[in-house]
Amino acid sequence: MTSRSFKIAVLAGDGIGPEIVGEAIKILKAISDKKDVALELTEGLVGGSAYDSCGEPLPQATLDLARQSDAVLFGAIGGPQWEKLAYSVRPERALLGLRKELGLFANLRPVLAFDELLDISPLKNTIARGVDIMIVRELTGDVYFGEPRGISTDSAGRRRGINTMIYTEDEVRRIAVIAFRVAQKRKKNIVSVDKANVLECQELWRKVVNEVARDYPEVSVRNMYVDNCAMQLVRDPAQFDVIVSTNLFADILSDEAAMLTGSIGMLASASLGDKHALYEPIHGSAPDIAGKNIANPLATILSVALMLRYSLAMPEEALLVEKAVNEVLQDGFRTKDIFQEGKKLVGTEDMGEETLKKLANLLK
Ligand code: IPM
Ligand code: MG
């Protein structure tokens, strides 16, 4: 008898999405086979491939599937063939739509430097070693969703583009609360990133974060301007434990921080709301290497670890998946994006397979 069962929506998407998600699913299945858990996996169309088959990047059936699931495993979306489409049906709209419709306001992006990969970081080993940052990104507000927006043309035919940076205090408070709770379980050190010296919306962000801080006296908080943070991340990343920021700024900072670890192909993420959760690698669909069995599946596999931890109540198994990834790296297996001389170059499937072997051992 299986005591627990979970519904998982699998939205592989475009480009390398299906390949990397395929490997991550093997990991999930290995765990459910071994443990007393039944996982019901259902695939759905999303992104450019959904547009091609039904004319929209986020079909209603996919949204319904995501809503009825305990968690969504998401691959990647986008590609050059869809770049000329109207903005409203671009593959990216699917991801933004899922975030908004599922209320996924809290995006956790762990930035962890693996010792094994220190040499491929563009930063000196002395700077990159030991980097362990949790970026908490607000995900359903800011210029991403603010109105008014659009491009208009005046009577003289001149175009004008507009987006609106907007945050309500409730939106800031709920993401700040998440960040403080995350920090409580870590080194109790938050840097809240804004541009309060120039933008009123950001001044409100700073005020509200500092109000929330009063409820967490054991957590230390610093407010930092985003330009300074971009610089500090490469100057001295070890100063950071938890970074909390707005949707746009944290989007940019998380790509920057990813490179501390050597490859964006290693970074996982969890997007959490009150009722739903979505897990995805933070990298994109890499159309140039799609279908060639060379993409790195580890970020997606690490996203499965986050799913085990936050949605499936299996924190021990989450640790085992992370451990398996570490061991595979220690054994010298490398996909192309993280390859160095002297290591063993493997493809997507072999990397998945090696991780699976390590996991099977750890699950014994
Ligand atoms: C991310 C991506 C997305 C974003 C794109 C694909 C819409 O860059 O998840 O970081 O801007 O949020
Ligand atoms: Mg991004």
Side-chain angles (χ1 to χ4, degrees):
M1 254 294 285
T2 300
S3 62
R4 287 177 293 165
S5 79
F6 295 102
K7 287 188 181 154
I8 305 199
V10 179
L11 310 183
D14 310 323
I16 59 171
E19 296 164 76
I20 53 176
V21 164
E23 299 311 312
I25 284 176
K26 291 182 196 162
I27 298 285
L28 260 180
K29 286 193 173 148
I31 289 176
S32 68
D33 285 352
K34 196 79 193 169
K35 300 282 157 179
D36 207 12
V37 180
L39 298 180
E40 190 188 313
L41 305 178
T42 314
E43 291 182 19
L45 286 170
V46 76
S49 40
Y51 175 82
D52 287 346
S53 66
C54 38
E56 43 186 347
L58 180 57
Q60 187 62 41
T62 300
L63 189 53
D64 291 343
L65 171 69
R67 277 214 183 93
Q68 287 150 13
S69 303
D70 296 294
V72 178
L73 180 62
F74 191 94
I77 43 160
Q81 65 268 54
W82 301 293
E83 266 162 24
K84 294 217 166 67
L85 287 179
Y87 194 65
S88 60
V89 289
R90 289 268 288 271
E92 291 75 14
R93 299 308 301 170
L95 188 53
L96 298 175
L98 280 166
R99 290 172 180 171
K100 195 68 176 179
E101 294 296 326
L102 301 180
L104 308 173
F105 67 89
N107 183 212
L108 307 187
R109 300 189 157 183
V111 180
L112 199 60
F114 289 87
D115 277 348
E116 286 295 326
L117 298 181
L118 276 184
D119 287 338
I120 62 163
S121 171
L123 296 186
K124 289 184 198 129
N125 281 3
T126 46
I127 293 183
R129 182 170 287 115
V131 163
D132 180 1
I133 305 170
M134 179 65 91
I135 297 184
V136 179
R137 172 186 178 192
E138 199 292 325
L139 205 58
T140 52
D142 203 355
V143 281
Y144 271 67
F145 296 97
E147 300 278 350
R149 66 186 298 156
I151 300 174
S152 58
T153 309
D154 70 11
S155 52
R158 282 173 308 215
R159 286 163 300 169
R160 175 172 179 265
I162 178 169
N163 287 93
T164 305
M165 181 177 281
I166 179 164
Y167 268 116
T168 64
E169 67 173 300
D170 292 354
E171 287 174 313
V172 182
R173 194 169 292 116
R174 69 179 178 175
I175 191 70
V177 166
I178 299 283
F180 278 93
R181 288 192 189 147
V182 167
Q184 277 178 321
K185 295 196 190 137
R186 294 177 48 103
K187 293 186 214 118
K188 302 187 172 53
N189 169 350
I190 291 189
V191 172
S192 168
V193 177
D194 60 43
K195 191 69 186 170
N197 51 343
V198 178
L199 304 166
E200 288 83 353
C201 172
Q202 298 282 329
E203 188 189 346
L204 178 71
W205 173 278
R206 180 173 289 216
K207 280 193 175 132
V208 176
V209 169
N210 291 342
E211 284 162 21
V212 173
R214 290 187 212 127
D215 296 335
Y216 301 85
E218 71 284 11
V219 177
S220 80
V221 194
R222 273 188 300 156
N223 302 109
M224 191 180 275
Y225 297 134
V226 63
D227 46 353
N228 183 27
C229 182
M231 187 263 281
Q232 295 295 340
L233 269 173
V234 287
R235 191 188 75 85
D236 174 25
Q239 69 183 288
F240 296 105
D241 173 26
V242 174
I243 292 177
V244 62
S245 192
T246 57
N247 202 346
L248 180 64
F249 293 164
D251 173 46
I252 299 165
L253 293 175
S254 58
D255 270 31
E256 185 192 1
M259 282 319 288
L260 301 172
T261 71
S263 171
I264 197 165
M266 295 298 299
L267 291 212
S269 84
S271 302
L272 310 174
D274 292 329
K275 292 201 219 85
H276 301 285
L278 178 148
Y279 299 84
E280 57 165 332
I282 87 161
H283 60 71
S285 58
D288 50 322
I289 61 164
K292 296 185 178 158
N293 190 35
I294 50 179
N296 184 351
L298 293 180
T300 319
I301 290 174
L302 290 167
S303 300
V304 161
L306 296 179
M307 180 188 289
L308 290 164
R309 182 171 295 132
Y310 297 123
S311 286
L312 310 185
M314 290 192 264
E316 281 148 32
E317 287 72 18
L319 278 175
L320 295 185
V321 172
E322 287 161 353
K323 194 150 186 254
V325 168
N326 236 317
E327 290 182 1
V328 163
L329 294 175
Q330 271 160 11
D331 280 1
F333 294 104
R334 301 284 189 274
T335 41
K336 201 164 167 242
D337 59 311
I338 53 174
F339 181 70
Q340 311 158 254
E341 273 313 304
K343 303 293 178 188
K344 302 170 208 160
L345 183 63
V346 291
T348 313
E349 281 175 26
D350 285 342
M351 191 57 130
E353 207 49 49
E354 293 301 332
T355 314
L356 209 51
K357 279 191 222 157
K358 292 290 184 194
L359 182 65
N361 244 324
L362 293 166
L363 281 168
K364 269 189 191 140

